[in-house]
Structures are given as C-alpha cells and as structure tokens.
Amino acid sequence: MSRLARTLYFIGLLVAPGAAVAADLPASQPAPTEARFASGWTFSIDPIYGWIPGFKGDVSVFGNDAHIDVTTLDILDNLGPFLRALDGYYMGSGEWRSGRYGLGYDIVHFSVSGTRDFGNRILTGSADLGFSLTMATLTGNYRAFESAKAYADIVAGVRYTKVNIDLDLTVGPVPAAASGGDDWFDPVLGIRGRYDFADHWYVKGQALGGALGGSDYLYDLSGLVGYSWSNGVEAYAGWRAAHTSYDKDDFTWDVTMTGPMLGLSYNF
C-alpha cells in the first residue's frame, strides 16, 4: 500500500465513525446543554397575573388580637363589594436570563378600604377601615439542570413585606384614628422547575422558604399547568399558598394566603 493510500485509509477510519453517528441522529436532536447555556440574554415577563387568595391566621393590631378566616369562595361570593372596596392592585413577575444565570422579580400588592355605619337612636357613628399588603421578591437564579423538556433552578434572594391597617372611627361628634402595621425584609431560598409533558403543554412550580430575617419564617409554594404558543406567549393556571409568621412589638401577622392563580407570560 502506497503512502498516499495509507493516509487516505487512516483518514477514513477517523471520519467514517463520526459520519455514521451523525447520520443516525434525528434532525430534531436538541442542541447540547452547554450550547443552550451559552445563548444570549432572554427576557420573560408576566406583566400582570391574577391571584385571589383567602386569608387565614392571627393578627394583632391596635392592642387587640383577632383571628381571620376568609376563603377565596367568600371573596367570590362578595365580588361586587370587594371590587368596589379595591383601591389598588398589581401582581406581576419576570426574569432576565443569560446562560445559567438569571435575575427574577415577583410583586404582589393590593389595598382595600371601606366604610361601615353603626349605631342606634341614641348614638351613631362610622368606621373607615383600610388594609394594604405588599410582597416584593428579588432573586438570583442558577440553572442547575436543563434538558430538552425540563429544567430546574436554584433561587436565592430577598423579600420585602409591608402590611398596614388604618382605622378612622367617628362616634357621635368625636373622631378617632389609629394605624398599625410594619415592614420588613427576609432572605429566601428555594427551587423552581418546569416539565413539558406534551406538545405545547407543561407544568411548573416553585417552593421558597425563609427564616432568620424580619419574620420568624415564611414559605411560598405554587403549582401551575400551562399552554405555550410558538410566538412565545404562554397561559397558565394553578394554585399558590404563601405563609408569613411575623411578631414584633404590638403587631402580629401570622397569616396564610392561599387560592387560585392564573396569568399570561411573554418570552423574548
């Protein structure tokens, strides 16, 4: 065998196995994981979502203790009065991502107020009650696992919570006012993930927990089922439960919020 023939023979040994393997791969074979991680910046936003939680737990304000137990069905049964009492509402989330790393946010805010008249023939009065809640969470996200159909992220960050209750009371000609509440920060740590179980259909969820911050402890859990279109728009629905146990000075907020959740997201 000539020198040229031997060279061509060894080149054929090196190239042929790789060519055979490449020929056996389906055209839809996903890109290697590292190649996907190396992609540029992407952005996903839920500009506004709906969460209708019930409230159950213990609250102490104005020196008085109270147990609250309002379900989602209670709110829906009185949806008209609730919407009329609603002063402000915003719930939204989003994430910037590049490769394995992302920066995410989630904001929950609403405020309600109402007036109730009371009294008898001798003494009359009115009470104006206002309530507002804000939960704003900022996290750094690390993609620990990703495949063609699933991913799992480790998330860590901080949550800011603010609760405020205002009471304006008028009994006869005598007015009185009181305000109670507090705001605080908590470190949070958790996981989240997604699995595409059919064409366009997926499930996703998140579990966050926190302690050693302003509150004694907190958790925030959600599970959702969604449908995605090819243009990057997704719709989802599911359930979310969040609990915060906070007790400081004369204010206690030991409450679980749980209820249905739905929304739209856009991926760029």
Side-chain angles (χ1 to χ4, degrees):
M1 182 181 294
S2 68
R3 183 175 180 181
L4 176 61
R6 288 197 302 270
T7 301
L8 293 175
Y9 173 75
F10 285 114
I11 291 174
L13 289 179
L14 294 173
V15 174
V21 171
D24 291 338
L25 287 175
S28 60
Q29 185 77 10
T33 299
E34 290 301 327
R36 288 199 301 277
F37 285 151
S39 61
W41 283 97
T42 60
F43 183 50
S44 174
I45 182 173
D46 302 18
I48 187 169
Y49 60 78
W51 181 32
I52 310 176
F55 292 78
K56 186 174 183 178
D58 297 310
V59 178
S60 178
V61 66
F62 312 136
N64 298 306
D65 299 332
H67 179 76
I68 57 174
D69 190 354
V70 179
T71 68
T72 299
L73 290 178
D74 293 332
I75 296 175
L76 294 177
D77 286 343
N78 298 275
L79 189 58
F82 175 77
L83 292 177
R84 288 192 294 270
L86 193 63
D87 295 326
Y89 178 95
Y90 177 77
M91 298 183 184
S93 62
E95 182 191 29
W96 294 269
R97 171 166 293 280
S98 179
R100 288 184 180 268
Y101 301 95
L103 181 66
Y105 72 90
D106 180 77
I107 300 173
V108 172
H109 169 77
F110 60 89
S111 59
V112 294
S113 63
T115 301
R116 177 67 61 89
D117 296 325
F118 59 88
N120 50 40
R121 295 179 180 179
I122 301 174
L123 190 64
T124 61
S126 65
D128 293 330
L129 179 64
F131 168 76
S132 66
L133 169 69
T134 300
M135 295 192 308
T137 308
L138 181 67
T139 60
N141 310 324
Y142 176 77
R143 182 137 301 175
F145 167 80
E146 184 175 33
S147 69
K149 292 187 176 182
Y151 68 74
D153 291 347
I154 300 172
V155 299
V158 63
R159 168 169 291 179
Y160 170 74
T161 305
K162 182 177 182 179
V163 182
N164 195 68
I165 302 173
D166 296 311
L167 177 63
D168 293 319
L169 183 66
T170 301
V171 180
V174 181
S179 179
D182 210 343
D183 63 324
W184 61 92
F185 290 90
D186 290 297
V188 293
L189 179 67
I191 59 173
R192 68 174 190 173
R194 168 171 165 157
Y195 174 66
D196 298 339
F197 63 88
D199 288 343
H200 302 288
W201 290 95
Y202 64 88
V203 292
K204 66 178 181 178
Q206 178 173 271
L208 285 180
L212 305 177
S215 66
D216 296 329
Y217 68 93
L218 67 86
Y219 64 78
D220 194 338
L221 312 173
S222 63
L224 306 167
V225 178
Y227 183 88
S228 59
W229 288 270
S230 57
N231 60 359
V233 179
E234 299 179 353
Y236 57 84
W239 201 264
R240 181 176 180 180
H243 176 86
T244 303
S245 179
Y246 178 85
D247 186 1
K248 186 177 180 181
D249 299 330
D250 295 328
F251 180 72
T252 299
W253 179 259
D254 189 7
V255 175
T256 300
M257 303 164 53
T258 179
M261 179 177 174
L262 56 88
L264 288 172
S265 64
Y266 302 87
N267 301 285
F268 305 93

